[in-house]
Amino acid sequence: IIYAKEIFAGKILTFAITTNGTLLNSEIIEFLAQEDVHLTISLDGPKSIHDKNRVFADGRGSFDTVIRNLERIRQRFPEYARKTAFSMVMDPANDYDCINEVVTTFDDMNDCLFLASMVELDGNTPSIRSEAYSWKWSYQDFLALLSIFGRYPTSKVSALNRRSIGISAGNIREFQQ
């Protein structure tokens, strides 16, 4: 970042990083916030789901460390924390409500951008997505659409589904006008 700013002095530069969030110490957080780096953190759901695949070399799950680092960002740089995005790899073998729990548990996360993607197996393997999962996802999409037309409170729409129908918390108000 420092090098790029020297080389491209006078130009408008944007920086972004996607991280698992485990190495975000105070020094790194301060640097990212001061440089206004677009921060995306991988978070695959609540502890029970996240820790299945996102582990340290010794096998321990990383959820608690990621959440502790998120709290550090929120405490020191609350405005920067509100701009944090999350990359969530959703496994449809899990219950949708359980995955969505991480969004609804932390009040300030519901206003953040969630970039949700599904685990898809190769074309030869049948999908493991349950009918209940599909219905819950579709229902949340429906609620998001209702919010566009002022028929459902935006604050109750899952951040996971806003993006799936192409809206964000900020532009819901735009659609309503």
Side-chain angles (χ1 to χ4, degrees):
I1 290 173
I2 294 166
Y3 173 75
K5 284 184 166 187
E6 287 174 8
I7 297 297
F8 298 105
K11 303 285 185 187
I12 298 172
L13 301 175
T14 303
F15 299 96
I17 184 172
T18 300
T19 175
N20 64 14
T22 59
L23 299 178
L24 293 174
N25 61 31
S26 295
E27 182 181 350
I28 292 171
I29 291 168
E30 184 173 345
F31 180 79
L32 295 174
Q34 286 175 348
E35 297 297 333
D36 199 28
V37 175
H38 296 276
L39 177 63
T40 301
I41 298 175
S42 300
L43 188 66
D44 293 345
K47 182 178 175 67
S48 61
I49 292 174
H50 180 88
D51 283 351
K52 285 181 186 176
N53 296 312
R54 306 246 184 211
V55 296
F56 291 106
D58 63 6
R60 288 179 301 118
S62 62
F63 182 84
D64 292 334
T65 302
V66 173
I67 295 300
R68 187 172 42 252
N69 289 338
L70 280 171
E71 289 302 320
R72 187 179 293 151
I73 295 169
R74 284 188 190 115
Q75 288 172 2
R76 296 212 41 223
F77 304 98
E79 286 302 314
Y80 183 66
R82 281 189 268 290
K83 296 189 292 184
T84 301
F86 295 92
S87 175
M88 181 176 280
V89 178
M90 298 172 63
D91 183 349
N94 294 311
D95 179 59
Y96 173 84
D97 292 335
C98 187
I99 296 168
N100 192 40
E101 177 184 307
V102 76
V103 178
T104 58
T105 300
F106 301 98
D107 293 335
D108 50 351
M109 267 192 195
N110 198 40
D111 288 334
C112 293
L113 174 63
F114 273 82
L115 308 165
S117 57
M118 300 285 180
V119 171
E120 295 293 336
L121 303 173
D122 61 51
N124 300 322
T125 308
S127 176
I128 53 174
R129 185 178 308 181
S130 71
E131 189 174 330
Y133 182 96
S134 295
W135 276 107
K136 288 176 182 180
W137 180 270
S138 296
Y139 180 68
Q140 290 298 322
D141 276 352
F142 174 68
L143 295 178
L145 287 169
L146 285 177
S147 73
I148 290 173
F149 299 105
R151 309 285 275 203
Y152 189 77
T154 303
S155 62
K156 292 186 177 186
V157 174
S158 171
L160 296 175
N161 293 82
R162 285 188 201 125
R163 183 153 173 93
S164 75
I165 62 168
I167 61 174
S168 67
N171 68 6
I172 286 176
R173 288 175 285 285
E174 210 175 283
F175 285 118
Q176 292 171 342
Q177 296 174 350

